[in-house]
Amino acid sequence: PVLICSYERDGSVHFWNKACEQSLGWSHDELMEDPELFRQIFPSIDEQRKYAFPAPHRNAFSIWQPLNKARQPQQILWGSFPISGQRFMGIGIDLSQQIQAKLQLERTRRHYIKILKKIPIGVFTLRQKTPGHYQFDFVNPFFADIVQLPIHVILGNPEPVFSLWHKENKRSLFAARRAFEEGQGFCLVNRITIRGEPRWLRAEFNVSTLDSGERIANGVLVDITAEREQTRRLSIAGHVLREMHEGLLILDAQLNIILCNPAVLNLTGYTEAEILNQPVQSLFARHSRLSPDSRVWTRLQHSESWHGEIAFYTKDQSKKHLQVLLSRVQLPFEQPEQFIIMLSDITPFKAREQKLLQMANFDLLTGLATRRLLYDRLNQAIAYTARNRQVLAICYIDLNDFKKI
């Protein structure tokens, strides 16, 4: 809406449209009744000369800040023109809302720039001046830290940044430039060398086209070197867990199985679906030492680990001897604790141990007890009778010519 009014030098108003009423607050009737009200809009002589009663040769528009009826300053693009000797016409456009919006936008822009300077990722705005020619309009300090270049160097010439990709990743840089020129978003992840040190960087941007036809890319640059290294280590750890011969179970704080490796399936004969998300007692049902009520779990609250041996029956009821190692894991950030169970199949060792005991205690030819077993049983008997205050009788028989038999 355009403000239009007509008035005399003495302050009497002839015409005052609705736009004037809305912007300045006074109605046409109020100004007709009291001409002095008009001069409140132009309180000073300078304002009267400049905006209300300009010289005949001065007819330019300018920003005027009059006070409205509520004594609030307004922003109006205003021009006054002499019609006759004492009569003038004023024409204006109220820019208060536009200027306030522009000021708010500027405050918001400064606020976000302040935030962008502090967030721990690189942020940039890249402008395409002409095809093949680019200019950074903005980069935050973290962007400069990542590429190891001063901000003024980056803003002055983008080539030092582009050259980091030129050396090793020309294809990626070409694809990014093509996406920029086609107005499409893009993401590139590359390993580049910055001052002799290899780094992994991820750059993402979205493109918008201005009214002038220039393209703007707003994006982020993130150093993902630590993330890639962590991923590599987790990949190695996962491969080790899959290939290791010892069974591994991970339990949550409620002693439910949340992870198992393939060796557990080979040891127990159960499938992964039959083991995961089940209480540990369902797997070790015959072993009270591993039940939730066992003292073992209480002991783990005061020590880091517990180990022992158990006889385990697989899904097909085959008997195996397992060595068990329990460990408590304290997780960071106040997460619930977890437990790890390592299972080692010692069945072959137990069989070999039993065979060695058989060979040591019994004669291979006759199957009779050896002198070693005799001494062991005799010492047990002596100890038993001593504890119970009983009498021990021993009969020693010598067989002549036993070798002939």
Side-chain angles (χ1 to χ4, degrees):
V2 179
L3 285 71
I4 302 176
C5 61
S6 176
Y7 51 89
E8 299 281 348
R9 187 178 290 274
D10 62 3
S12 58
V13 177
H14 297 284
F15 181 77
W16 187 262
N17 72 346
K18 289 293 183 181
C20 292
E21 292 184 7
Q22 293 173 0
S23 297
L24 298 173
W26 285 283
S27 66
H28 180 267
D29 293 339
E30 289 176 318
L31 294 173
M32 288 290 290
E33 293 175 2
D34 186 0
E36 291 300 320
L37 291 178
F38 185 73
R39 296 188 180 275
Q40 291 186 25
I41 303 175
F42 306 95
S44 68
I45 300 297
D46 289 340
E47 283 188 301
Q48 293 177 18
R49 290 175 178 173
K50 185 175 182 180
Y51 300 111
F53 315 114
H57 64 276
R58 186 182 182 280
N59 57 5
F61 282 86
S62 59
I63 298 295
W64 171 42
Q65 296 180 331
L67 297 176
N68 63 10
K69 188 176 181 179
R71 311 306 293 171
Q72 297 172 339
Q74 304 297 300
Q75 303 282 340
I76 298 177
L77 179 63
W78 184 264
S80 293
F81 309 92
I83 300 175
S84 61
Q86 299 296 322
R87 181 173 290 187
F88 295 83
M89 174 176 281
I91 301 176
I93 299 177
D94 191 345
L95 303 177
S96 301
Q97 293 184 355
Q98 292 93 322
I99 292 178
Q100 287 298 323
K102 185 176 180 181
L103 291 174
Q104 180 62 34
L105 183 62
E106 179 61 20
R107 286 193 292 267
T108 303
R109 188 184 71 86
R110 292 179 181 179
H111 173 70
Y112 279 104
I113 286 178
K114 186 177 180 180
I115 294 176
L116 292 176
K117 287 182 178 180
K118 294 181 179 180
I119 61 175
I121 60 174
V123 180
F124 66 89
T125 298
L126 183 67
R127 179 189 300 269
Q128 184 188 38
K129 301 172 68 176
T130 57
H133 294 84
Y134 303 90
Q135 178 71 44
F136 280 106
D137 287 350
F138 171 81
V139 295
N140 70 340
F142 282 94
F143 184 98
D145 290 342
I146 292 173
V147 298
Q148 296 288 295
L149 291 169
I151 291 180
H152 71 273
V153 172
I154 300 172
L155 297 178
N157 182 10
E159 286 305 319
V161 177
F162 296 159
S163 65
L164 297 175
W165 277 266
H166 267 306
K167 301 173 184 176
E168 304 174 36
N169 303 280
K170 292 183 179 180
R171 282 189 174 183
S172 297
L173 188 60
F174 177 79
R177 284 182 167 176
R178 182 175 180 180
F180 193 125
E181 293 174 358
E182 293 177 354
Q184 299 177 355
F186 196 76
C187 175
L188 63 158
V189 178
N190 294 114
R191 181 179 182 271
I192 66 176
T193 302
I194 301 177
R195 296 190 177 181
E197 182 180 358
R199 310 296 296 175
W200 280 95
L201 301 184
R202 183 178 73 242
E204 300 180 43
F205 62 82
N206 288 315
V207 181
S208 57
T209 304
L210 304 180
D211 294 337
S212 62
E214 293 181 315
R215 287 193 174 93
I216 292 288
N218 293 302
V220 296
L221 181 68
V222 185
D223 188 338
I224 60 171
T225 305
E227 179 183 334
R228 296 281 294 208
E229 179 63 21
Q230 181 70 10
T231 302
R232 186 185 69 84
R233 292 178 180 178
L234 288 175
S235 176
I236 294 174
H239 180 74
V240 170
L241 289 178
R242 290 190 298 270
E243 297 299 325
M244 65 188 300
H245 296 290
E246 288 77 13
L248 174 68
L249 295 169
I250 297 182
L251 316 179
D252 60 17
Q254 288 72 41
L255 304 183
N256 296 318
I257 302 171
I258 59 176
L259 186 144
C260 68
N261 68 341
V264 171
L265 311 182
N266 296 331
L267 285 174
T268 64
Y270 292 100
T271 64
E272 190 175 57
E274 293 173 316
I275 294 178
L276 291 183
N277 302 315
Q278 299 298 320
V280 69
Q281 190 178 16
S282 65
L283 189 62
F284 301 100
R286 300 188 181 185
H287 307 286
S288 59
R289 283 195 296 179
L290 298 179
S291 68
D293 299 329
S294 173
R295 294 181 180 180
V296 169
W297 307 105
T298 305
R299 289 174 58 185
L300 284 178
Q301 301 298 328
H302 306 286
S303 60
E304 295 298 326
S305 62
W306 174 90
H307 63 88
E309 295 179 5
I310 63 172
F312 180 82
Y313 290 88
T314 63
K315 186 177 181 180
D316 62 1
Q317 296 304 303
S318 300
K319 184 178 180 180
K320 289 186 177 182
H321 293 276
L322 301 180
Q323 187 175 51
V324 181
L325 172 65
L326 301 181
S327 296
R328 179 170 59 94
V329 180
Q330 285 292 103
L331 298 175
F333 311 116
E334 299 182 354
Q335 295 184 31
E337 62 184 0
Q338 294 181 348
F339 299 92
I340 292 177
I341 299 181
M342 294 286 294
L343 302 175
S344 300
D345 187 0
I346 58 173
T347 304
F349 300 101
K350 282 291 185 181
R352 191 176 299 113
E353 179 183 331
Q354 187 64 33
K355 186 175 182 180
L356 291 175
L357 287 174
Q358 182 74 18
M359 292 173 61
N361 295 323
F362 296 90
D363 182 71
L364 294 178
L365 180 61
T366 63
L368 298 175
T370 63
R371 184 177 301 178
R372 181 179 181 280
L373 182 59
L374 170 65
Y375 288 158
D376 179 73
R377 296 294 187 268
L378 185 59
N379 286 328
Q380 290 183 23
I382 293 173
Y384 176 81
T385 55
R387 285 195 306 271
N388 295 279
R389 297 182 180 181
Q390 295 179 355
V391 177
L392 174 65
I394 299 175
C395 179
Y396 183 82
I397 301 175
D398 184 19
L399 297 179
N400 294 327
D401 299 323
F402 183 70
K403 289 183 180 181
K404 294 180 180 180
I405 299 176

